[in-house]
Amino acid sequence: QHYYITNNLRSADVLLKMKIVLFVQILIVCASAEKTFFDTDNTFASYRNWVVRDKGILLFSFSTYKENALLLYTDGGVDGSQDFLKVQLVNQKMVVHSNFGSGAEIFEIGERLSNGVFHSVRIQVGSGVITVVLDDAFSKEQRFDNSAADNTLQLSSSLFIGGVSKFTTFDLIEPDMSLEPRFSGCISGLKFTKADGETLAPPNCVEEEGTAEGCEATACENLSYTDSCRNGGKCEPQLDGYVCNCEGTGYSADRCTTAATVAKFQASEYIKYTAQDDPIVSKYDSLSFRIKTSRTDGLVFYYKTDNFFMSVEVVETELSLNVGFGTSQQLISLEDNFFICDNEWHTVHIGRYESFITLEIDGSQISAQLANPTPVRYNKDIFIGGGESLTQLDGVRSQLNFVGCLQQLTFNKMKMLKDAKADGLGYSVHGRLDWMCSNIQYVPVTFGSSESKLELDQWMLNRGLSLQFKTSYPDGIIAFTGTESTYLSLELIEGSLVFTAQKNGEKTTAQVGSNLADSNWHSLTARYDTTTITLHIYGDVGDVQEDSARFRVQGDFNIRSPLMLGAADESSPLFKSGYRGCIRGFSIQQEVIDLYTKLVTQPPGVVAGCGSLDEACSIQPCYHGSVCNQEMNSFTCDCTGTGYEGTVCSEEAKPLTFSGDQYLRQLTSFPEPKRERDSISLRFRTQAENGLIMFVTTDTYNDKYMYFEILESKLYVIVHYGIQKFFRLEPIVSDGRWHVIVFNRVGNKITLRLDNTEDQFTFRDPVEFPYRYAYLGKAPENEWRNVMRMTKSRQAFDGCLQQVKFNGNDLITLMGAANIFTNARQGCKFQETTDQQVAAFIRSTYLGLPPWAATNTSSVLKFNFRTRESSSLILFHGDVEADYVAIVLEGGVLKTTLQIGDGSRTVSALMPGLNDNMWHSVLLEITSQIFILEVDEMPMQQPLSESNFDFTGGLYIGGIPENVNSSLLPYGMQANPYFLGCVKALIVNDVIQDLLQAGNGKSGVRSECEGTCAAYPCQNGGSCRQMENQFDCLCSGSFFKGKTCSEEMSKVRFTPGSSLSYTLYEHKTTIRDDLHIKFKTTDSFGGLTQIETGDPNQFIKVVIKDTFLELTMNIGQERVFARSPSPVNDDTPHTLSFWRRNTAVSYSFDGGEITRSSLNSVGSLEFGVIMNIRLSFPYNSMQFSGCILGFDYNGITPLEDTNLPNIVKSPGIVEGTCDITPPTTSKPIVTEGNPDPDPEDPDKGGNDTDNPDDPDENGNEVDPDSKTTAPKPISDNNSTQQTQVKSKSSLGLPFILLIAAGGFICILLVVYGVSRFARRRQGVYKTNEDKRVEDQQRIEYDKLTMHEEAFELPSKRELYM
């Protein structure tokens, strides 16, 4: 970003003098109280060593604009003590690094020190303490434990200021100190104590380079506009000129006048850089860029080395930085929910020095200190905008590629976007990257398998569905909604598009097209109403095909299930083959839905972008880090070691738990004597230090065998193929985490891998291994002794196994086959507690669990729940037409319905109000005679005539699947079939149910209650929006603000005649409006608020007319009018809420019933370009006066910060209160016979007009009644006043004329000076009056160009400013 400029404005003799002075300064002793340091490759000044001993003081001041630089360094020398002192600037903060005999310590002090202002520094050493005082205001100290030392700081090297010479002739403790960034700026007042530790004196300079004596004006000062840095660039002085630092401005070139390189990413594009040079070790990192996006998630920048990673990404609308050394990670994001997804440019700077790291966005900064950092060895790849497989990148949270624009991305001085555009060495651009930032279109998505799908909102009656698709597969479901008997579907059948509508078993179809699977884009629209279905298909060349069909029986379909895009729902027996290809531009009733935002939940097989279908792996269809293998017009996913299975590795593989005598045994009846290959892969987790994982042998005598076991927390592998080979892998595996083993034998070569550790071995002779027996965890009791004697641990495995694949067979999946037997437990029950088993339901869904089986004595089910929903279904199990149990909330009361045989019982808990968001316990017990419901230890019971229940199907928590006929359930369960809240500690017949496992990967379920929407954190009516790892409270319309909508909005009192105006810099049109205002007043008339657009015929006005509140909105050719049902001038708070969604309008007064209506317009109805928001405006010559207690329009809340530059407020606005304080009037103190009028108040006689109360020229007062003059009383302290009056009366007329003449002369001089100054400024553009006409056009053009470059603001804002 730095461009060198020689300062041509300085005359040649000045430059020559500077060079001579600098040359002489190097030759003589460089003693000076002030020095200017220039940014060269060897800038430094060295002084004699600072002798500290037991105490000492060092003082200096500095001024700089450089953010990272070395200020001071000295140490004891490599042959002396290990003491040292280093002071430097790191990301505009001062960092002090020191050693005082007992180990190095580091701390930081101050912030934003690179502001060009002088900062004073005092360093004091004594009694094992180093104290640093900054600007005489901030102080920090570091104490050292040096009880074994001599309590002195031993320094023998020179004292280096501004940098360390790269030609130093002696060794330092840190030999790479000459590589530290050098200081540029001014340092003055350098002093330190002499050997006595008390006398302060300036030190003698021994050597210097790149400096100048004194802190004189630099080349950056007094620059003309022509030579100055433009567009916000910073001028930085150099030895013989200056440079313009254009970082973060969006411009480059010599004076920041040329737009910098910009790249637009649209989810499927990214840049990869592979280092070409030898690896280097660095303590520093610097990353800066500008970012513009409207997407809530996406990877921006990623870098990983052997011991370090850095991930910069947009996560849930905020920019997040995740860094880590080794296994430790630290997440840094800006406080106060800094929203970055506003489609505006934001400037980001990230800096790291050793353990200190700083993230700065638009001037807002946050910093942190990493634990145990090590120097970073740069030798790996860098990804910009995304990557190949994000699941394999450590520390990445978003799992989506970036969508938006990046500009000026510079990493450690590498201009990466500029170099990538120029096809620089080591750069590769993946996808079609656009090198300009035009509007981001809606990103297409690709459905990679026949099972891939997205869940969208309902497709309602009379609402047209539109989308574009491209595929090479002639068959597949594009969209589906409904049930088995009543549904709507759009599908490709042999290359034709078919729209099917089935109602109660009667099917109606419409069909268009014949060869649509041609890998070209096609557009379709589909619509249905009570009588007809209609289907259109549009080609790229404009041809249109249409078909429609009428229903035999008319009526609504009453479909309430979500619309599935890409495949039918799993519960439907229809349409097993889903769509494979690309879809974009999806909309319902012309309201475009951004499908890319649906990928945040990582639906299996659906990815952003639309790559070539012949290169399916390019779209990254495989999930959870699985490997994509390209096939002819298709792909396969290798799920080995991921813990998932299925077409795209999206379904969690079944684990088994082994403990004690539990095992799995496989018998191969016909072993292959001459197998060329063997492969074993498995996942395991354990905390046991010893145990057998797997044992494979050829016979019961163990002629040839191999096994995997854990011994002393490490993995041992023994292979005995006649000749024994022993493997020992070093990583600790008994840590309770999942580990992956992959074993492959090809011929006589063995490859063994544990996680990322790999080993190989090749046998000399050919290998034959006709295995017959395979054991997992242990062996049957009669075979265990023979197996155990061959192992070293001689212990059974205690832990979990998953994805055990032996020569292509998944042994766990094949459980139940004739040759496989196991007594291991299903699932991974791994040191769980009941409180850890939590399911937080944040949206409508359900969890399926194993069935509840009846026992001979009593069957018990118990759990805990919390919610704020007054009515919802918590638990359901069974068949509605046979035996079932259902637990519901109705009006805050818990009810349980139990149906066994022909009898049905319902029991209600005694306690109401269970929807208080507190934990409540529930116990349900069924015995041979009674049915017990216990809530919060308060039981209720009813007798049973039959207790042998048979609950078929699964046990469902949180809701019921769609294949359950809910119409047979009680009405309360039908109306609220889903639960929103938290459930924990579900125990069925003393067995803890694995809620974590059931909810893993389930959309709408989280494993923690706190910190999610299921805990109902939003107060005062705020709505909760669940992000991936946190929640967001939407407070619009609640008249509260804050993280949980718990803080009242700002109050502003408008006195009569006062007003406030908010100007929008970014002019947008909208198809939705949200207006909320809360106020109180006693006025009968007045304008409350007005939303103005660029069209005077389009507006929103809220006024008080005849004591009633009226709302008027003019939009397009439509008009909306609403009037409050009662007067609002009673000085009590009143509210108005107004919503518009395209043509749907609704409003509410004082939180009452919502009135809804619809406008007559067709298509998108946009409100004009919004320009201004006014509060308190004239209406019928009356303005609003009163108090506004909250205002929100489309998220704009001007009353929360009225000091913004685009807000104009008139006098009379009182912020923070609605109280009206009566004005206080002070009466003058009147002494007897002395009114003493205020000379400043004209109403009190203090003016120059004739007034009977004025004193006469002698200072006497005039009695208004008698018209006689009375002597004025003389106070004790009026001697000065008497003197002044006397002097005034003796001045005389000549003196007054002299003063007038002098004033006239001064006016003439001022006029002459102004005219000369104007002519001088005019001389910047012309040299004499003769060229005035000739140059006028060029002058005006230069002025216009200068104005646009300097401000570049919209004309409205420019006029306003």
Side-chain angles (χ1 to χ4, degrees):
Q1 307 288 351
H2 296 267
Y3 297 91
Y4 188 79
I5 305 172
T6 301
N7 187 4
N8 298 320
L9 302 181
R10 292 175 177 263
S11 58
D13 58 334
V14 174
L15 289 175
L16 181 59
K17 289 179 182 179
M18 179 185 293
K19 294 177 181 178
I20 294 175
V21 170
L22 290 175
F23 178 73
V24 172
Q25 288 172 346
I26 295 175
L27 297 180
I28 65 174
V29 175
C30 44
S32 174
E34 294 182 338
K35 286 186 184 298
T36 298
F37 291 74
F38 299 96
D39 195 0
T40 71
D41 62 349
N42 195 36
T43 295
F44 76 96
S46 64
Y47 299 82
R48 65 177 179 83
N49 68 306
W50 179 27
V51 181
V52 179
R53 296 181 180 175
D54 59 340
K55 61 180 179 179
I57 299 175
L58 186 146
L59 306 175
F60 68 93
S61 297
F62 70 93
S63 170
T64 184
Y65 288 100
K66 197 166 184 180
E67 297 181 359
N68 298 280
L70 180 67
L71 290 173
L72 177 152
Y73 182 79
T74 180
D75 65 24
V78 72
D79 297 327
S81 71
Q82 293 298 306
D83 297 351
F84 68 88
L85 176 63
K86 178 168 60 175
V87 182
Q88 57 194 146
L89 289 175
V90 177
N91 299 324
Q92 301 193 55
K93 297 182 179 182
M94 180 180 291
V95 175
V96 181
H97 199 180
S98 58
N99 185 16
F100 201 0
S102 60
E105 300 288 347
I106 189 171
F107 64 86
E108 63 180 20
I109 183 173
E111 60 182 13
R112 304 191 185 281
L113 302 179
S114 305
N115 56 0
V117 177
F118 271 98
H119 300 278
S120 63
V121 180
R122 175 188 177 94
I123 302 175
Q124 185 169 342
V125 180
S127 302
V129 179
I130 292 182
T131 304
V132 178
V133 181
L134 178 65
D135 292 335
D136 296 326
F138 306 98
S139 176
K140 275 194 176 182
E141 67 177 26
Q142 181 64 57
R143 295 183 177 272
F144 295 88
D145 182 13
N146 50 7
S147 56
D150 59 0
N151 211 32
T152 62
L153 180 61
Q154 301 178 16
L155 304 174
S156 59
S157 74
S158 296
L159 175 67
F160 288 94
I161 301 293
V164 173
S165 172
K166 60 183 179 181
F167 306 114
T168 182
T169 57
F170 50 84
D171 294 329
L172 300 175
I173 294 176
E174 296 191 36
D176 59 347
M177 285 304 300
S178 60
L179 302 178
E180 299 284 346
R182 301 179 184 276
F183 178 79
S184 65
C186 185
I187 292 181
S188 65
L190 178 64
K191 297 179 181 180
F192 57 69
T193 52
K194 296 183 178 180
D196 59 6
E198 296 181 357
T199 305
L200 280 167
N204 291 327
C205 179
V206 177
E207 186 181 4
E208 65 179 359
E209 185 173 335
T211 67
E213 298 301 318
C215 292
E216 301 295 334
T218 64
C220 289
E221 300 185 32
N222 301 321
L223 286 177
S224 68
Y225 174 78
T226 305
D227 298 291
S228 63
C229 301
R230 311 284 183 86
N231 299 305
K234 296 180 181 179
C235 181
E236 297 180 354
Q238 301 294 301
L239 186 60
D240 55 352
Y242 64 95
V243 297
C244 286
N245 182 355
C246 307
E247 180 179 312
T249 64
Y251 291 85
S252 58
D254 51 358
R255 283 179 291 276
C256 309
T257 55
T258 304
T261 304
V262 64
K264 183 174 73 171
F265 299 82
Q266 300 189 81
S268 58
E269 302 86 4
Y270 65 92
I271 298 173
K272 181 179 179 181
Y273 172 75
T274 303
Q276 303 297 303
D277 301 327
D278 294 334
I280 62 173
V281 178
S282 174
K283 302 177 183 178
Y284 291 90
D285 281 317
S286 178
L287 172 67
S288 62
F289 58 88
R290 299 178 79 230
I291 182 172
K292 177 181 180 181
T293 183
S294 60
R295 297 307 194 272
T296 58
D297 296 83
L299 179 64
V300 178
F301 181 90
Y302 184 83
Y303 185 76
K304 187 180 187 301
T305 69
D306 295 334
N307 63 338
F308 171 80
F309 72 84
M310 178 168 66
S311 172
V312 183
E313 52 192 315
V314 181
V315 179
E316 299 169 0
T317 74
E318 298 178 15
L319 193 74
S320 173
L321 169 65
N322 199 14
V323 295
F325 286 90
T327 58
S328 65
Q329 297 185 17
Q330 182 143 6
L331 179 66
I332 301 176
S333 60
L334 278 182
E335 298 175 349
D336 300 328
N337 296 325
F338 192 94
F339 186 74
I340 201 171
C341 303
D342 53 2
N343 211 29
E344 298 287 347
W345 282 110
H346 298 274
T347 301
V348 180
H349 179 77
I350 298 170
R352 181 191 68 87
Y353 171 72
E354 292 184 343
S355 63
F356 291 98
I357 189 162
T358 302
L359 169 64
E360 181 177 309
I361 304 177
D362 295 341
S364 299
Q365 189 180 93
I366 186 173
S367 60
Q369 187 171 1
L370 303 174
N372 302 321
T374 57
V376 176
R377 182 179 178 87
Y378 293 107
N379 59 350
K380 294 293 180 70
D381 297 330
I382 296 175
F383 295 94
I384 301 173
E388 298 159 346
S389 181
L390 302 188
T391 56
Q392 296 180 349
L393 302 181
D394 293 337
V396 174
R397 304 166 60 205
S398 66
Q399 302 301 320
L400 292 177
N401 283 356
F402 175 68
V403 176
C405 298
L406 296 177
Q407 189 180 42
Q408 280 186 302
L409 193 145
T410 303
F411 179 60
N412 292 346
K413 298 185 178 180
M414 294 187 296
K415 302 174 181 63
M416 306 198 76
L417 295 182
K418 181 180 179 182
D419 295 341
K421 184 179 180 181
D423 296 327
L425 186 63
Y427 289 90
S428 59
V429 178
H430 297 254
R432 298 180 179 179
L433 198 62
D434 196 353
W435 298 104
M436 61 181 296
C437 189
S438 56
N439 291 331
I440 303 295
Q441 302 297 323
Y442 289 99
V443 179
V445 297
T446 298
F447 296 81
S449 72
S450 58
E451 302 171 1
S452 307
K453 60 181 177 294
L454 288 177
E455 181 177 321
L456 306 177
D457 294 335
Q458 298 176 10
W459 183 12
M460 305 297 291
L461 190 72
N462 293 320
R463 295 177 65 84
L465 180 150
S466 302
L467 60 84
Q468 292 180 302
F469 67 93
K470 179 173 75 171
T471 183
S472 60
Y473 294 89
D475 298 280
I477 290 288
I478 296 178
F480 178 87
T481 182
T483 62
E484 182 179 355
S485 60
T486 301
Y487 64 83
L488 300 168
S489 74
L490 286 167
E491 59 181 319
L492 286 173
I493 300 178
E494 297 181 355
S496 296
L497 184 65
V498 179
F499 184 9
T500 303
Q502 178 170 303
K503 182 178 180 182
N504 297 326
E506 183 174 341
K507 184 182 298 184
T508 305
T509 61
Q511 180 174 329
V512 293
S514 59
N515 186 26
L516 303 179
D518 55 359
S519 297
N520 294 320
W521 284 107
H522 300 277
S523 302
L524 72 85
T525 61
R527 185 184 182 92
Y528 77 100
D529 53 31
T530 58
T531 62
T532 311
I533 58 173
T534 306
L535 181 63
H536 293 80
I537 190 75
Y538 306 84
D540 290 337
V541 296
D543 56 320
V544 181
Q545 299 183 44
E546 177 183 354
D547 191 16
S548 61
R550 294 183 63 85
F551 305 135
R552 190 178 66 86
V553 180
Q554 301 181 7
D556 192 1
F557 279 66
N558 292 319
I559 297 177
R560 297 295 180 262
S561 58
L563 175 67
M564 309 305 297
L565 194 65
D569 187 50
E570 296 175 355
S571 61
S572 173
L574 305 172
F575 314 121
K576 296 299 183 181
S577 177
Y579 172 78
R580 298 181 65 182
C582 304
I583 292 178
R584 70 183 183 188
F586 181 88
S587 66
I588 294 181
Q589 200 62 21
Q590 300 184 1
E591 182 176 347
V592 179
I593 298 174
D594 191 355
L595 299 180
Y596 181 72
T597 60
K598 305 296 182 180
L599 303 188
V600 176
T601 58
Q602 302 182 28
V606 187
V607 295
C610 187
S612 171
L613 296 179
D614 296 327
E615 299 178 1
C617 287
S618 65
I619 62 173
Q620 307 173 27
C622 302
Y623 277 74
H624 300 104
S626 56
V627 179
C628 182
N629 298 315
Q630 182 68 48
E631 297 180 358
M632 180 64 67
N633 202 27
S634 184
F635 66 94
T636 58
C637 296
D638 182 3
C639 309
T640 300
T642 63
Y644 290 83
E645 57 190 10
T647 306
V648 292
C649 307
S650 61
E651 304 169 10
E652 186 172 8
K654 297 178 181 178
L656 288 180
T657 300
F658 295 82
S659 180
D661 294 331
Q662 293 173 332
Y663 64 90
L664 183 147
R665 177 181 184 268
Q666 181 200 32
L667 171 64
T668 302
S669 301
F670 303 99
E672 301 179 39
K674 294 184 179 181
R675 283 186 60 89
E676 182 65 21
R677 298 171 178 265
D678 284 316
S679 65
I680 300 174
S681 64
L682 59 88
R683 297 178 83 229
F684 71 95
R685 62 183 293 196
T686 183
Q687 289 183 329
E689 297 181 354
N690 301 282
L692 176 67
I693 298 176
M694 185 175 185
F695 189 94
V696 183
T697 182
T698 56
D699 50 50
T700 56
Y701 300 103
N702 300 325
D703 181 33
K704 295 180 180 180
Y705 60 89
M706 63 176 294
Y707 63 85
F708 307 85
E709 73 172 340
I710 300 172
L711 186 64
E712 297 178 352
S713 300
K714 296 185 178 181
L715 180 67
Y716 285 74
V717 180
I718 307 296
V719 179
H720 186 80
Y721 295 155
I723 299 176
Q724 181 169 295
K725 172 57 183 173
F726 165 79
F727 296 90
R728 178 177 181 268
L729 291 94
E730 291 300 322
I732 301 297
V733 296
S734 58
D735 54 2
R737 299 181 179 181
W738 284 107
H739 298 276
V740 179
I741 300 174
V742 178
F743 173 91
N744 284 296
R745 178 187 67 84
V746 179
N748 58 347
K749 182 179 180 180
I750 290 177
T751 302
L752 176 65
R753 178 166 59 87
L754 171 64
D755 297 333
N756 296 321
T757 303
E758 185 174 297
D759 200 357
Q760 295 181 350
F761 180 77
T762 303
F763 289 97
R764 183 181 304 174
D765 300 324
V767 171
E768 290 187 5
F769 186 51
Y771 67 89
R772 189 173 184 185
Y773 300 94
Y775 305 97
L776 296 181
K778 198 186 174 185
E781 196 63 36
N782 59 338
E783 301 175 26
W784 173 236
R785 183 180 297 275
N786 191 37
V787 171
M788 179 181 62
R789 67 183 179 86
M790 308 303 298
T791 67
K792 295 181 179 294
S793 66
R794 303 198 173 191
Q795 294 183 22
F797 178 69
D798 188 356
C800 301
L801 293 179
Q802 189 183 44
Q803 281 188 303
V804 183
K805 293 188 176 183
F806 187 12
N807 289 336
N809 297 319
D810 192 328
L811 301 186
I812 297 178
T813 303
L814 295 175
M815 288 187 312
N819 63 331
I820 296 179
F821 176 81
T822 182
N823 60 356
R825 290 187 300 155
Q826 294 191 20
C828 185
K829 309 295 183 181
F830 194 77
Q831 285 199 347
E832 61 193 11
T833 65
T834 56
D835 286 337
Q836 291 174 338
Q837 290 293 343
V838 177
F841 296 86
I842 59 175
R843 63 177 65 95
S844 300
T845 185
Y846 62 89
L847 295 183
L849 297 167
W852 179 14
T855 62
N856 293 329
T857 56
S858 66
S859 302
V860 179
L861 180 148
K862 55 184 178 180
F863 63 92
N864 295 287
F865 78 95
R866 60 181 285 191
T867 185
R868 282 198 184 277
E869 298 292 321
S870 61
S871 300
S872 59
L873 175 64
I874 302 177
L875 181 146
F876 178 84
H877 188 17
D879 186 349
V880 292
E881 297 181 354
D883 295 350
Y884 76 88
V885 60
I887 302 177
V888 300
L889 272 177
E890 288 188 11
V893 177
L894 191 79
K895 296 183 179 181
T896 299
T897 299
L898 178 65
Q899 178 173 295
I900 301 178
D902 297 331
S904 177
R905 298 285 188 274
T906 298
V907 178
S908 299
L910 294 175
M911 297 178 58
L914 298 180
N915 58 329
D916 55 1
N917 205 26
M918 304 295 291
W919 284 108
H920 299 281
S921 63
V922 179
L923 183 145
L924 183 63
E925 182 177 1
I926 302 174
T927 67
S928 60
Q929 296 180 345
I930 58 173
F931 162 41
I932 302 174
L933 172 65
E934 180 178 302
V935 178
D936 292 342
E937 301 182 353
M938 298 182 64
M940 291 289 292
Q941 67 181 38
Q942 280 197 9
L944 287 178
S945 59
E946 184 177 353
S947 61
N948 294 323
F949 59 85
D950 182 16
F951 295 154
T952 60
L955 171 64
Y956 299 105
I957 299 291
I960 54 177
E962 292 182 0
N963 58 1
V964 174
N965 189 357
S966 61
S967 63
L968 299 179
L969 291 171
Y971 176 77
M973 302 181 192
Q974 297 182 41
N976 302 281
Y978 292 102
F979 173 76
L980 299 179
C982 301
V983 174
K984 73 175 181 179
L986 176 63
I987 301 175
V988 178
N989 291 339
D990 296 327
V991 177
I992 302 174
Q993 301 302 300
D994 198 344
L995 297 177
L996 298 178
Q997 178 73 14
N1000 189 17
K1002 186 81 171 180
S1003 176
V1005 182
R1006 295 292 187 271
S1007 60
E1008 293 181 330
C1009 189
E1010 299 299 332
T1012 68
C1013 288
Y1016 293 88
C1018 304
Q1019 304 177 27
N1020 299 303
S1023 60
C1024 188
R1025 180 177 61 182
Q1026 184 67 48
M1027 303 298 189
E1028 184 177 357
N1029 295 314
Q1030 66 179 26
F1031 65 90
D1032 185 15
C1033 288
L1034 305 179
C1035 306
S1036 178
S1038 68
F1039 302 104
F1040 285 82
K1041 60 182 180 179
K1043 175 66 176 177
T1044 58
C1045 306
S1046 58
E1047 305 170 24
E1048 289 188 352
M1049 298 186 74
S1050 299
K1051 303 174 182 177
V1052 176
R1053 181 163 60 88
F1054 291 78
T1055 59
S1058 60
S1059 62
L1060 182 144
S1061 174
Y1062 179 99
T1063 302
L1064 277 76
Y1065 290 163
E1066 183 179 8
H1067 301 153
K1068 294 181 178 180
T1069 60
T1070 66
I1071 63 171
R1072 55 182 294 169
D1073 293 282
D1074 291 283
L1075 174 62
H1076 306 279
I1077 187 167
K1078 184 177 182 180
F1079 68 97
K1080 65 177 184 177
T1081 184
T1082 57
D1083 292 348
S1084 299
F1085 290 87
L1088 185 55
T1089 183
Q1090 179 171 331
I1091 314 299
E1092 300 175 349
T1093 69
D1095 183 358
N1097 294 320
Q1098 296 200 65
F1099 57 85
I1100 299 176
K1101 286 184 179 180
V1102 180
V1103 301
I1104 301 173
K1105 181 180 179 181
D1106 294 328
T1107 73
F1108 289 85
L1109 190 68
E1110 293 184 354
L1111 164 73
T1112 304
M1113 180 180 189
N1114 279 11
I1115 177 171
Q1117 303 299 319
E1118 301 287 333
R1119 181 182 180 89
V1120 180
F1121 178 80
R1123 180 183 174 93
S1124 64
S1126 59
V1128 296
N1129 64 334
D1130 54 359
D1131 200 27
T1132 60
H1134 293 275
T1135 64
L1136 166 65
S1137 292
F1138 171 79
W1139 304 271
R1140 180 182 71 90
R1141 299 294 181 268
N1142 200 13
T1143 58
V1145 174
S1146 55
Y1147 55 87
S1148 172
F1149 293 95
D1150 293 333
E1153 183 179 356
I1154 298 177
T1155 302
R1156 293 178 171 86
S1157 62
S1158 181
L1159 303 178
N1160 296 324
S1161 297
V1162 179
S1164 297
L1165 183 60
E1166 293 186 343
F1167 193 35
V1169 178
I1170 303 171
M1171 308 292 290
N1172 295 292
I1173 299 174
R1174 301 189 184 279
L1175 295 175
S1176 181
F1177 67 96
Y1179 174 73
N1180 288 343
S1181 302
M1182 298 290 291
Q1183 281 189 238
F1184 170 83
S1185 64
C1187 189
I1188 297 181
L1189 296 87
F1191 178 88
D1192 183 351
Y1193 173 69
N1194 289 349
I1196 301 173
T1197 54
L1199 299 185
E1200 300 308 310
D1201 186 0
T1202 62
N1203 295 318
L1204 294 175
N1206 58 333
I1207 288 181
V1208 176
K1209 52 184 178 179
S1210 66
I1213 289 180
V1214 181
E1215 299 180 43
T1217 181
C1218 288
D1219 297 332
I1220 301 177
T1221 304
T1224 58
T1225 58
S1226 58
K1227 297 182 179 181
I1229 301 175
V1230 180
T1231 58
E1232 186 177 354
N1234 181 18
D1236 194 13
D1238 187 354
E1240 299 298 325
D1241 192 345
D1243 297 331
K1244 297 180 181 181
N1247 52 14
D1248 293 334
T1249 60
D1250 294 335
N1251 193 311
D1253 291 335
D1254 285 345
D1256 64 1
E1257 63 179 359
N1258 296 320
N1260 297 323
E1261 293 184 335
V1262 178
D1263 188 343
D1265 296 329
S1266 62
K1267 305 297 181 181
T1268 59
T1269 302
K1272 186 175 181 178
I1274 301 175
S1275 62
D1276 294 336
N1277 56 353
N1278 64 352
S1279 58
T1280 303
Q1281 181 180 1
Q1282 290 179 347
T1283 304
Q1284 292 174 348
V1285 173
K1286 183 177 180 180
S1287 300
K1288 181 177 179 181
S1289 61
S1290 61
L1291 292 178
L1293 182 61
F1295 186 79
I1296 295 176
L1297 293 175
L1298 180 63
I1299 292 176
F1304 181 74
I1305 293 173
C1306 290
I1307 292 173
L1308 291 178
L1309 291 175
V1310 171
V1311 172
Y1312 177 75
V1314 171
S1315 64
R1316 288 297 304 270
F1317 180 76
R1319 290 174 60 83
R1320 181 182 179 186
R1321 292 196 62 188
Q1322 193 177 16
V1324 176
Y1325 302 99
K1326 62 182 181 177
T1327 56
N1328 52 60
E1329 290 295 323
D1330 295 333
K1331 297 179 62 180
R1332 180 172 184 176
V1333 176
E1334 178 183 351
D1335 294 343
Q1336 184 64 31
Q1337 185 176 1
R1338 180 178 60 84
I1339 292 173
E1340 294 300 323
Y1341 176 78
D1342 288 345
K1343 289 181 178 180
L1344 178 61
T1345 303
M1346 175 187 69
H1347 185 81
E1348 291 179 348
E1349 291 181 348
F1351 296 99
E1352 291 192 346
L1353 300 172
S1355 59
K1356 285 286 183 182
R1357 183 187 180 192
E1358 183 179 320
L1359 180 61
Y1360 162 72
M1361 294 296 291

